[in-house]
Amino acid sequence: MTDDRKATLVHISGRVQGVSFRVWTRKQAQRLGLTGWVRNEDDGSVTALIAGPDGAVATMLKQFWDGPIGASVSRVDTEPAPAGELPSEFIIRH
């Protein structure tokens, strides 16, 4: 991964399951040219690993606060993620 790219692990809380949050995330990530994955968690939250150019990652982090219609996001927590073993596309994990 070059210096202008980064990987971020994101944990999104609120009403984020049952509103197509994962499908919406994949669509937004693909539009921004990001790679990574998104999955539902047992506690009702969603976790995503997003990787790509700094500007695209920053845009996606802002978009997480809106989410799809029907979502109500209460928290978006982030932490740097290692760049190793990233998917070559953006996938939904089950």
Side-chain angles (χ1 to χ4, degrees), residues 10-62:
V10 188
H11 190 80
I12 306 107
S13 303
R15 183 168 185 254
V16 293
Q17 288 190 18
V19 295
S20 297
F21 205 97
R22 292 176 300 159
V23 172
W24 174 87
T25 298
R26 181 180 60 193
K27 184 182 292 183
Q28 298 304 313
Q30 289 172 336
R31 184 178 61 78
L32 291 167
L34 297 171
T35 61
W37 50 262
V38 61
R39 70 175 178 228
N40 283 342
E41 300 296 344
D42 291 338
D43 65 1
S45 65
V46 170
T47 300
L49 175 67
I50 58 173
D54 286 340
V57 170
T59 298
M60 189 71 209
L61 291 175
K62 289 177 190 172

Side-chain angles (χ1 to χ4, degrees), residues 3-14:
D3 291 341
D4 66 339
R5 294 177 59 83
K6 69 180 189 179
T8 303
L9 190 64
V10 188
H11 190 80
I12 306 107
S13 303

